[in-house]
Structure formats: C-alpha cells, structure tokens
Amino acid sequence: MPQSAERTLDHATLFREPEYAAMFEAKRDAFECPHPPEKVQEIADWTKGWDYREKNFAREALTVNPAKACQPLGAVFAAAGFDGCLSMVHGSQGCVAYYRSHLARHFKEPSAAVSTSMTEDAAVFGGLNNLVEGLSNASALYDPKMIAVSTTCMAEVIGDDLNSFVIQAKEKNGFSKEFPVPFAHTPAFVGSHINGYDVMVKAIVSYFWTREEGDPTPDQSINIIPGFDGYAVANNRELKRMLDLMGVPHRLLSDVSDVYDTPTDGTYRMYAGGTTQDEIKAARHAKATLSLQQWCSEKTLEMIAGTGQQTQAFHYPMGVAGTDAFLMAVSEATGQPIPEALELERGRLVDAMTDSQSWLHGRTMAVFGDPDFVYGMTAFLLELGVEPVHCLSTNGGPAWEKKMKALLADSPFGTNTQVWPRKDLWHLRSLLATEPAEFVIGSSHGKFLQQDLGIPLIRLTFPIFDRHHHHRFPTLGYQGGLRVLVTLLDTVLDTLDRQTADTGISYDLTR
Amino acid sequence: MSPLDTPKGPVSGTALGEDLIAEVLSAYPPKAAKKRAKHLSVARTAEGESTPGCGVKSNIKSIPGVMTIRGCAYAGSKGVVWGPVKDMVHISHGPVGCGHYSWAQRRNYYTGTTGIDRFVTMQITSDFQERDIVFGGDKKLGQMIDEIETLFPLNKGITVQSECPIGLIGDDIEGVSRKKKKEIGKTVVPVRCEGFRGVSQSLGHHIANDSIRDWVLKDGANAEGGTAYDVNVIGDYNIGGDAWASRRLLEEMGLRVVAVWSGDCTLAEIENAPKAKLNLIHCYRSMNYICRHMEETWGVPWMEFNFFGPTQIAKSLRAIAAQFDETIQAKAEEVIAKYQPMVDAVLAKYKPRLKGKTVMLYVGGLRPRHVATAYDDLGMEIIATGYEFAHGDDYKRTGPYVKDGTLIYDDVTGYELEHFIQKLRPDLVGSGIKEKYAIQKMGVPFRQMHSWDYSGPYHGYDGFAVFARDMDMAVNSPVWGLTRAPWAAAS
C-alpha cells in the first residue's frame, strides 16, 4: 500500500506507484478499446511533420486552442479599474461565473461582477425586467458608485437595446438621473477581450465627458490607458511612479492595480482604488491621452481625439527603446524633461543587458499573445539580440501583421522571423514542430506546447494560472525591463543546467 | 469592529441562524427579500422525524444582480458530464469564450496522449463570428467535423456542446450530426446545453445525460456478456484522480469496473455500461437520470455510495458487497481491514489538530452533504452548508448528514455568504475559486471543494489521507497568525 499518514502521496506522486500503473494498464486493455500504441505513436509523429502542418494550416472552420477570450471579459476587467464600479453583465449568468473565475485564477484575487441572469423566458421576451431587477438588487446589496453594463452573446443575439433598457431601468427603480450606468455592447462573436476592454473604457469615459458642459480647457496633465494587461497591478504602479518622477500630473483611465491586489488583514474589500469619477471628468482637460496598447483602445482614442485632445498609442512598450519612446512622448506632450533618476534607471537596465547579452544573443524564441504584447515583447527581444522565430497572435489582424513586419525589417535579428496573425496555438504547435525555437514566450496555455515539443515556456503574459504572483512585478518601464530580462535569463540558464547535468561538461558554477 | 474582533462563541444554533437570515434579508429590496427567504433556513428535526429537514426551496431561477455563484447548462454538460470523455472531441460550438474559460480547468485526469488519441485538455471551438450568427453555423459545423477527422483521425467520436447563440439562431445541429455520423461512421452527439437553458449547471447535466441516452446508447449500447461482478461507477469525474482511488477499492473487493462515467472514460466504456449488474452512483445530482434510464431499459439496478472519509467508505463497501455473494462480502471486509491501520494513523495524526474546528460549505450538488461525514471523521463540525444547484431530493438526502441548528443556504449570493462567514467565523470554508480569495482576506482558512484546490484525490482511502492533510494545512497554516500587524493588535 503506497499511501501513509507519515508520507502522504497526492496526485503528483500517488499515481506513479506500481499499483496504479498496473491498474491503468488493465483498464486500458480490458475496457477502453484504445488504438494500438504503435498507431498512436505513428499519428503523434505525423502531427509533428510538414504534411500535417499543411493540413493544419488548410483548416478554415476549426479553431484549436486559440489564445484569446471574449469581449465581456475585457469589459469586466476595464470596469474593475474604476472607483466603486460594479460590473453588471446582461445575459446568461454562467458567463459571469466564467469571467470571475478566470480573473481570480490569474490574479489570485477575488473578482466581483453580477449578472442579470437571463433564462429562456428572457430569450423570448427580452431582458428588460432582468436589468430592472438586477440594478435594483445590485445597488441595494453592493452599494456601487457606478454600475457598468456589458453584454453576453445571448443578449446580443436577441438584440436587447441597452440604451433604452438602461434609461427605463433607472426610471423604474427610481434611481437619480445622476447615478452613472454606462454601458457597452460586447458581443462575444466580434473581436476578443481586447475589444471589450476598449468599448468599456470608451463607454465609461464618454458617459462622463458628454455630461460636462463647455469646451475642454487643456492643462498640463496626461491620461494613460493601460489596456488589458495581466501585469497591470505592478505595471500601473510603475507607470505612476515614473510619471511622478517626471512631475507630470497624470491619471489612469482604468486602474486595476489596487482592486486586484488587496491585503489579507481580516477585511474583504470588494472595491479598492481605481479611477474616480472626478478624475474621469478631469481627464477631459488633459493635455494628451497616451494608450499603452493600441489594439485595446482604438475606439476610445478615436472618441478622445474627437474632443480635440492629443492622443498617441503604443504597443505595450517594453525594453529600453520602448520605454524611451514612451517617456519622450510624455515629455513632448507636457514639456517636462525626463529626470536624471529615470536616466539612471535606464543606464542600469542597459548595464544588466550588457552583463547578460552573451546568454541571449542569437537565441531563438517564439512569442504568442495579444497583438500589443507580442509587438512590445518582440521589440525587446530584438534589443537583446534574440532571434524571434514565430510571432503569433490569435486576435492580431492584418494591421498588426504589417506593423510587426515593419518592426522586424528594422533589425538584423528579425530577418527570419515569421508573423502569424489570426492563428491559434495548434498552428503554433505545427510551426514549432517543423521550424523550432529554443523557447516559447506566452501565457500558461503554452504549457501544452512545452509538454508536446519539449520547448521551455516563459510565462510573460495573461493568463498565468500555474505560477503565482508574477503580475506583482512590473514588465514595463526600465524596472520592468529588468524583471523581464531576469525571467528570460533564468529560463535560459536553468535549461542549460538541465541539459548539461548528466555529463557535467558545461555544468558551470559561474556563468 | 473588524470581523477578526467578533467574539468566538456558540457558532451555530437555530436562534443565531434565524437572526443571520433576517439580517441578510434586510439588505434586499422587498421583492428580492421575499424570493431569497425561501432559500435560507436552519435545519431542524420536525416532530415525529428522526433527522433534520433543510426547509429550503431549490432549483429556482437566480434573481438578477445578486452575484449568484452558479454557472450554466453548458458548464454542466461540457464542463462536467461530457468534457472528461477522453477519446471524443468536444466542440464548444459558438463564440470563443465558453470554451476558453473552461479550458483544462476541471482537473479530470486521464491517461493517453493529448491531441492524438485524447482530447480533454483542449479548447476546440467554432469561434463564431458575426457572419455565423447572421447566416447560421450549420455549414461551419459540418466543415469543422471534416477538419477534425483530418487533423485528429484517432478520435472515437465528436460532441457538439451548444453555447447560447445556437438555440437562438435556429441552427439544426441534430441534422448536421445525423448527416456527419453517416459520413464519418463515428458517433456524433448534438447537445442542446445552451447557457440560458434552465437555472444552473443542473439542466446541463440532465441534457447531457439525455444526449448519451439518445445519441450513444440508443444505437450503440452493448448489454451482452460481462461477468456477475460487473459494475459501473457513475458520476465520478476523476478530479485529481478520485475515480482511480475509488476503482482501486472496488477492484480489490473483486468487482470489475466496466465503465466510469465520465472521469478518464472512453466512448467504449459508455457503450458497454449496460452490461453491468449494478450501477454505483457517486454524484447523484449530475447522473441519476442515466441510472434510471439504464434501470428501465436494461434492468440495471443502481445504488448511491459515498467514498469520502473512512466511515462512509466502509459503510459503502459493505452496502455494495451486500449486493453480491459471500466471496465479495468477505473481500470487502478484507479491504476495510487492510486500510484500517492507515486510517488510524491518519486520524491519530490529524484529529487532535482538527477536532472541534467548525466548517462552512458551499459547493455544487453533492459534496455539501457527501463530504460532511469525512469532516466528522476528523472531528470537525459542519455549522452551515448549501448547494449551488441542488434539487429538492438533494436537500432531502442532506437531512441525515446535518445536525439541528445547521445554517442552510441554497443558491447563496456573494453578499449572504460573506455576511454569514463574518458572523459565524468558521475555522474553515470549503467552496469555489470565486469565493476563495475574498474569504481568505477575511482571515478565514479556505479550501476549494470543486477542484480540491489543485490537490486530490479525495475519494477512497488513498484520498482520505490527502483530504486530512489538506484540511490540516489550511486550518493550521502559520499565515493565519500574521493577518494583523502587531502594532495594530497592540493598540
């Protein structure tokens, strides 16, 4: 008997015991009706070749392991970044259970949101009554300062008209006209979570701006839209720190850094931090709005530009040149110089890169994730002398592909890089099986590639479910650059140690 | 007063429970309070009864805007019943989200090669776009099935797990499935588990059971042959290896497990299930339907069993053995005797550390009663419990597991659960990922009781040792002594 009280075996070790191994074999042979092992091996080998790759790329209807979620997730994430804001997702309730779980699994934090819990009768008659009741109950129980409404695909397919519903629901509940209930249509069958983020930020900001009177009177402040970022907790704080060092008055339009990082001290805070309504109103008079992720903010920036405010978008600016460009844009917009303290930080990042460059130069890596992340990450890799082999984004389109190609064309390390818009991780499996990279950079979903192909995964983007607290350290700014550099190096050097431990040759103490 | 200051006192009791219910109801608008009142109660034994009654209404629509913890029919079908069937490809049919969020999250362990002859931890979706909503997705579904055949030729069949839009746009997935079944010569199962159907995951379980009946067993059942000792385990999803720890015990007592539905399960196991002499059902809530069907159609009797904790395991092993001959009965006793020293050692180690600790539970449709006695075995006391998606028959079955004064909540809302926990200050809460972090921030130890908090197995004797270890590590972690800064405590 393998189990004991002294040395308790759980799933990780228990099922490796001979009793269980024998049981698995007997079950397989007697009951599972499996394919012969040779056949399984033959197909497994075939899936790693060029013939399979061609068939895999010929598919038109089937999607396998896509690296994207749906719009309302982005809307819930964006809304969580506003002070006292409760997300209400109009439609089936299971969706909200999924968003809450998904965000909780990544941040290891609670994620509050409510649903209007539409069922079959609402599918027939529309969900107005659900929204009326939902607003009444949610405001009574959770005392929000604002309720941000988005939609599941159910409500979108039956065509619920949020504008009219919200007006009616507020009236029926006797809400004051001033109580903010911004809303955004977020159909899951259009775009992905990054678009849901965009339309929700736009909905909330424009809700307040359209109620302001008079023309904007530009001051010296700037607005930052961080975009959908799994590292927002640390990155938003890092951004604010850098802007404080520059002496630039600033506000983030959606700041989840507190709500997804509350303390364990005996009190659960459902709301924590976030952009206040006064800040949203003040944002209208800012000198400029800078978005850190263009593909998370196209509609929002268009709306902001329409008010005459200056806008600029980045692609998740990582590394030295990315941070340089961001800081220079801030400096240019505000007239504030970049202080010595930041230049010192820059120098330290460059110092670290010179110390380590020989371990990264010429390494081959593949990158997948949201379009802005893949762009920013690739740009940093090129600075490090890494040769990206494949850059893939399930929710990146032709415009992303074009920009990626321009970025790669600018660097000798990007000469052989292939860019793959609208492709999923099963495509990436074929790509890496036929044209391998030494490492893959992406989310936890990349661990199945590591399992199948033996290529080490470096987790640097949302969602990260199977490692803890990475998001508590920044990836943006020069400080974030250091963190990313160390993450890359650790994996490269750990891998080298594993590969050389058996002979001891090259298993060096100092590297 | 912070919740940490709440004095520890008698933690349960009818009067306290009723006060707590009144407190939470007072926060709702009147219409909602009236509805919620039916779902909250304190267990009490009525005159002439021997066990407490729960006295709550259940399986009713959640009210909007209250932060229900429930999921949907798709989650019940794809996530629970069908998802673990390992040699079939399960299409999340509709937009990308549902399949994404449920991708590889339930820890239904299985053997085999993922992507080649096994497909459980994959996210296979039709990724509906606007044109699919406008023009319908049937053509795309047919093409997808062809592409699955090309890329995953060793699949034994395909299921179509409908997401919300499918039923709203009038797609004929049954027609497509019939046609493709003929073309590819494999089982193709359309499942109408759109998320807006029903009130929770529960209808999804039922719909999934019905789809097994109509699209697998109707033409594919194999009731012939088998031995006198053939059984099926129904309603074990092999979370963290539960079904394996259970199977071992059944095999050791001389039974032959033809099929496990649906953890680590193959299509062949489902088809061969009707040849068994007895169906052993663990998760009654999610799979009683198919047991009734097998009883009506092939005369396979069924019985419930409970493999959580040594008391229930021994009781169940004996009850199962009683359905067979003396050889099996003798072997069952041998199995119980074989594991008793390990059980004794586990209890000797953990019971002193856990005795008298209070527990609140809120899980799906089975565990809020089924694990109660495992906590009893450890000397812990359940002071409150409730279900996400139970029906009346589940609450009836709960009575014998709870004591008078236990707080009962059905489809509890985030607000209610947090309030109850703050006031009752249990030593441990067992619930799900959405509840975990909020409750830990209150300074209350927590274990996820859906996913076993990334641990397991919890079934069987091997699982009980893990269960005891995990409850101890949650309750007695040194971190709970650090939640308040010393200077704050001093002032």
Short mmCIF file of all heavy atoms in Angstrom, two decimals, chain A residues 237-268:
data_model
loop_
_atom_site.label_atom_id
_atom_site.label_comp_id
_atom_site.label_asym_id
_atom_site.label_seq_id
_atom_site.Cartn_x
_atom_site.Cartn_y
_atom_site.Cartn_z
N ARG A 237 1.40 50.68 -11.29
CA ARG A 237 2.15 51.38 -10.23
C ARG A 237 3.49 51.90 -10.76
O ARG A 237 3.94 52.98 -10.38
CB ARG A 237 2.37 50.44 -9.04
CG ARG A 237 1.07 50.17 -8.30
CD ARG A 237 1.24 49.16 -7.20
NE ARG A 237 -0.06 48.86 -6.61
CZ ARG A 237 -0.33 47.78 -5.88
NH1 ARG A 237 0.62 46.89 -5.64
NH2 ARG A 237 -1.52 47.59 -5.40
N GLU A 238 4.09 51.11 -11.62
CA GLU A 238 5.37 51.52 -12.19
C GLU A 238 5.18 52.76 -13.09
O GLU A 238 5.99 53.69 -13.04
CB GLU A 238 5.99 50.35 -12.98
CG GLU A 238 7.35 50.62 -13.61
CD GLU A 238 8.45 51.00 -12.60
OE1 GLU A 238 8.24 50.80 -11.38
OE2 GLU A 238 9.49 51.52 -13.05
N LEU A 239 4.11 52.74 -13.86
CA LEU A 239 3.83 53.89 -14.72
C LEU A 239 3.63 55.15 -13.87
O LEU A 239 4.19 56.22 -14.18
CB LEU A 239 2.56 53.63 -15.54
CG LEU A 239 2.69 52.62 -16.68
CD1 LEU A 239 1.30 52.19 -17.15
CD2 LEU A 239 3.48 53.22 -17.83
N LYS A 240 2.85 55.00 -12.80
CA LYS A 240 2.57 56.17 -11.95
C LYS A 240 3.85 56.66 -11.28
O LYS A 240 4.07 57.86 -11.14
CB LYS A 240 1.50 55.81 -10.91
CG LYS A 240 0.12 55.62 -11.53
CD LYS A 240 -0.98 55.37 -10.51
CE LYS A 240 -1.05 53.94 -10.09
NZ LYS A 240 -2.25 53.63 -9.26
N ARG A 241 4.70 55.72 -10.92
CA ARG A 241 5.97 56.11 -10.28
C ARG A 241 6.83 56.90 -11.25
O ARG A 241 7.40 57.95 -10.89
CB ARG A 241 6.72 54.85 -9.81
CG ARG A 241 7.93 55.12 -8.93
CD ARG A 241 8.73 53.85 -8.66
NE ARG A 241 9.32 53.31 -9.88
CZ ARG A 241 10.53 53.66 -10.37
NH1 ARG A 241 11.27 54.54 -9.72
NH2 ARG A 241 10.98 53.13 -11.48
N MET A 242 6.90 56.42 -12.48
CA MET A 242 7.74 57.13 -13.46
C MET A 242 7.19 58.53 -13.75
O MET A 242 7.94 59.49 -13.86
CB MET A 242 7.83 56.32 -14.76
CG MET A 242 8.64 55.04 -14.61
SD MET A 242 9.07 54.28 -16.20
CE MET A 242 7.48 53.85 -16.84
N LEU A 243 5.85 58.62 -13.85
CA LEU A 243 5.25 59.92 -14.15
C LEU A 243 5.41 60.87 -12.96
O LEU A 243 5.60 62.08 -13.16
CB LEU A 243 3.78 59.75 -14.53
CG LEU A 243 3.58 58.97 -15.84
CD1 LEU A 243 2.12 58.60 -16.05
CD2 LEU A 243 4.09 59.78 -17.04
N ASP A 244 5.35 60.32 -11.75
CA ASP A 244 5.61 61.14 -10.56
C ASP A 244 7.04 61.67 -10.59
O ASP A 244 7.30 62.84 -10.29
CB ASP A 244 5.39 60.33 -9.28
CG ASP A 244 3.91 60.16 -8.96
OD1 ASP A 244 3.09 60.93 -9.52
OD2 ASP A 244 3.57 59.25 -8.18
N LEU A 245 7.98 60.82 -10.96
CA LEU A 245 9.39 61.25 -11.05
C LEU A 245 9.54 62.38 -12.06
O LEU A 245 10.39 63.26 -11.90
CB LEU A 245 10.28 60.08 -11.45
CG LEU A 245 10.65 59.08 -10.35
CD1 LEU A 245 11.42 57.90 -10.94
CD2 LEU A 245 11.48 59.75 -9.26
N MET A 246 8.73 62.33 -13.11
CA MET A 246 8.80 63.38 -14.13
C MET A 246 8.06 64.64 -13.70
O MET A 246 8.15 65.67 -14.38
CB MET A 246 8.22 62.88 -15.45
CG MET A 246 9.10 61.88 -16.16
SD MET A 246 8.39 61.34 -17.72
CE MET A 246 8.70 62.78 -18.74
N GLY A 247 7.29 64.53 -12.62
CA GLY A 247 6.49 65.67 -12.18
C GLY A 247 5.32 65.96 -13.10
O GLY A 247 4.87 67.10 -13.22
N VAL A 248 4.83 64.91 -13.74
CA VAL A 248 3.71 65.09 -14.67
C VAL A 248 2.40 64.70 -13.96
O VAL A 248 2.27 63.56 -13.50
CB VAL A 248 3.90 64.20 -15.92
CG1 VAL A 248 2.66 64.22 -16.80
CG2 VAL A 248 5.13 64.64 -16.70
N PRO A 249 1.47 65.62 -13.85
CA PRO A 249 0.16 65.24 -13.30
C PRO A 249 -0.48 64.21 -14.24
O PRO A 249 -0.46 64.38 -15.46
CB PRO A 249 -0.64 66.54 -13.30
CG PRO A 249 0.35 67.63 -13.55
CD PRO A 249 1.51 67.03 -14.28
N HIS A 250 -1.03 63.15 -13.68
CA HIS A 250 -1.49 62.05 -14.53
C HIS A 250 -2.65 61.33 -13.89
O HIS A 250 -2.89 61.46 -12.68
CB HIS A 250 -0.35 61.04 -14.72
CG HIS A 250 0.18 60.52 -13.42
ND1 HIS A 250 -0.42 59.51 -12.71
CD2 HIS A 250 1.24 60.91 -12.66
CE1 HIS A 250 0.26 59.28 -11.59
NE2 HIS A 250 1.27 60.13 -11.53
N ARG A 251 -3.38 60.63 -14.70
CA ARG A 251 -4.40 59.69 -14.19
C ARG A 251 -4.51 58.54 -15.18
O ARG A 251 -4.28 58.71 -16.38
CB ARG A 251 -5.72 60.42 -14.00
CG ARG A 251 -6.32 60.95 -15.25
CD ARG A 251 -7.45 61.91 -14.97
NE ARG A 251 -6.98 63.21 -14.47
CZ ARG A 251 -6.39 64.13 -15.23
NH1 ARG A 251 -6.16 63.90 -16.52
NH2 ARG A 251 -6.01 65.29 -14.74
N LEU A 252 -4.81 57.39 -14.64
CA LEU A 252 -5.01 56.23 -15.50
C LEU A 252 -6.51 56.10 -15.77
O LEU A 252 -7.31 56.26 -14.84
CB LEU A 252 -4.50 54.95 -14.81
CG LEU A 252 -3.03 54.59 -15.07
CD1 LEU A 252 -2.10 55.73 -14.77
CD2 LEU A 252 -2.63 53.35 -14.28
N LEU A 253 -6.85 55.83 -16.99
CA LEU A 253 -8.25 55.57 -17.31
C LEU A 253 -8.43 54.05 -17.27
O LEU A 253 -8.08 53.35 -18.21
CB LEU A 253 -8.62 56.18 -18.66
CG LEU A 253 -8.53 57.72 -18.68
CD1 LEU A 253 -8.81 58.27 -20.06
CD2 LEU A 253 -9.46 58.35 -17.65
N SER A 254 -8.90 53.61 -16.16
CA SER A 254 -9.00 52.22 -15.69
C SER A 254 -7.68 51.79 -15.04
O SER A 254 -6.69 51.55 -15.71
CB SER A 254 -9.33 51.21 -16.79
OG SER A 254 -9.38 49.90 -16.20
N ASP A 255 -7.75 51.73 -13.73
CA ASP A 255 -6.57 51.34 -12.95
C ASP A 255 -6.97 50.24 -11.97
O ASP A 255 -7.56 50.48 -10.93
CB ASP A 255 -6.03 52.56 -12.18
CG ASP A 255 -4.79 52.21 -11.37
OD1 ASP A 255 -4.31 51.06 -11.48
OD2 ASP A 255 -4.31 53.10 -10.63
N VAL A 256 -6.61 48.99 -12.33
CA VAL A 256 -7.00 47.83 -11.51
C VAL A 256 -5.93 47.48 -10.47
O VAL A 256 -6.03 46.46 -9.80
CB VAL A 256 -7.27 46.58 -12.38
CG1 VAL A 256 -8.45 46.80 -13.33
CG2 VAL A 256 -6.02 46.16 -13.15
N SER A 257 -4.92 48.34 -10.34
CA SER A 257 -3.76 47.93 -9.54
C SER A 257 -4.10 47.69 -8.08
O SER A 257 -3.47 46.88 -7.41
CB SER A 257 -2.61 48.93 -9.67
OG SER A 257 -3.00 50.20 -9.22
N ASP A 258 -5.12 48.37 -7.55
CA ASP A 258 -5.48 48.13 -6.14
C ASP A 258 -6.54 47.04 -6.00
O ASP A 258 -6.46 46.21 -5.09
CB ASP A 258 -5.98 49.43 -5.50
CG ASP A 258 -4.83 50.38 -5.22
OD1 ASP A 258 -3.67 49.91 -5.20
OD2 ASP A 258 -5.08 51.58 -5.04
N VAL A 259 -7.52 47.04 -6.88
CA VAL A 259 -8.61 46.09 -6.69
C VAL A 259 -8.14 44.64 -6.89
O VAL A 259 -8.67 43.72 -6.27
CB VAL A 259 -9.82 46.44 -7.60
CG1 VAL A 259 -9.61 46.00 -9.04
CG2 VAL A 259 -11.09 45.82 -7.03
N TYR A 260 -7.12 44.46 -7.70
CA TYR A 260 -6.55 43.12 -7.87
C TYR A 260 -5.30 42.91 -7.01
O TYR A 260 -4.42 42.12 -7.34
CB TYR A 260 -6.26 42.82 -9.34
CG TYR A 260 -7.52 42.66 -10.16
CD1 TYR A 260 -7.62 43.19 -11.45
CD2 TYR A 260 -8.63 41.97 -9.66
CE1 TYR A 260 -8.79 43.04 -12.20
CE2 TYR A 260 -9.79 41.82 -10.40
CZ TYR A 260 -9.86 42.37 -11.67
OH TYR A 260 -11.01 42.22 -12.41
N ASP A 261 -5.20 43.66 -5.95
CA ASP A 261 -4.07 43.49 -5.04
C ASP A 261 -4.43 44.02 -3.67
O ASP A 261 -3.80 44.93 -3.15
CB ASP A 261 -2.84 44.22 -5.59
CG ASP A 261 -1.56 43.87 -4.83
OD1 ASP A 261 -1.54 42.80 -4.19
OD2 ASP A 261 -0.62 44.68 -4.86
N THR A 262 -5.46 43.44 -3.06
CA THR A 262 -5.88 43.91 -1.73
C THR A 262 -5.23 43.02 -0.66
O THR A 262 -4.92 41.87 -0.91
CB THR A 262 -7.41 43.90 -1.57
OG1 THR A 262 -7.88 42.56 -1.70
CG2 THR A 262 -8.08 44.77 -2.60
N PRO A 263 -5.04 43.58 0.53
CA PRO A 263 -4.31 42.85 1.56
C PRO A 263 -5.17 41.78 2.25
O PRO A 263 -6.41 41.85 2.20
CB PRO A 263 -3.97 43.94 2.57
CG PRO A 263 -5.04 44.97 2.41
CD PRO A 263 -5.40 44.94 0.96
N THR A 264 -4.53 40.82 2.87
CA THR A 264 -5.22 39.89 3.77
C THR A 264 -4.98 40.38 5.18
O THR A 264 -3.89 40.21 5.73
CB THR A 264 -4.70 38.46 3.57
OG1 THR A 264 -5.22 37.96 2.33
CG2 THR A 264 -5.18 37.52 4.68
N ASP A 265 -6.00 41.08 5.71
CA ASP A 265 -5.86 41.64 7.06
C ASP A 265 -7.16 41.51 7.84
O ASP A 265 -7.38 42.22 8.81
CB ASP A 265 -5.44 43.11 6.97
CG ASP A 265 -6.45 43.95 6.21
OD1 ASP A 265 -7.46 43.39 5.74
OD2 ASP A 265 -6.24 45.18 6.07
N GLY A 266 -8.04 40.64 7.37
CA GLY A 266 -9.29 40.42 8.09
C GLY A 266 -10.49 41.06 7.44
O GLY A 266 -11.62 40.79 7.82
N THR A 267 -10.27 41.91 6.45
CA THR A 267 -11.38 42.58 5.79
C THR A 267 -11.33 42.33 4.29
O THR A 267 -10.28 42.50 3.67
CB THR A 267 -11.30 44.11 6.02
OG1 THR A 267 -11.27 44.33 7.43
CG2 THR A 267 -12.50 44.82 5.43
N TYR A 268 -12.44 41.92 3.73
CA TYR A 268 -12.52 41.79 2.28
C TYR A 268 -13.02 43.10 1.70
O TYR A 268 -14.10 43.58 2.06
CB TYR A 268 -13.45 40.63 1.90
CG TYR A 268 -13.94 40.68 0.47
CD1 TYR A 268 -13.04 40.90 -0.58
CD2 TYR A 268 -15.28 40.51 0.14
CE1 TYR A 268 -13.48 40.96 -1.90
CE2 TYR A 268 -15.72 40.56 -1.16
CZ TYR A 268 -14.82 40.80 -2.18
OH TYR A 268 -15.26 40.86 -3.48
#
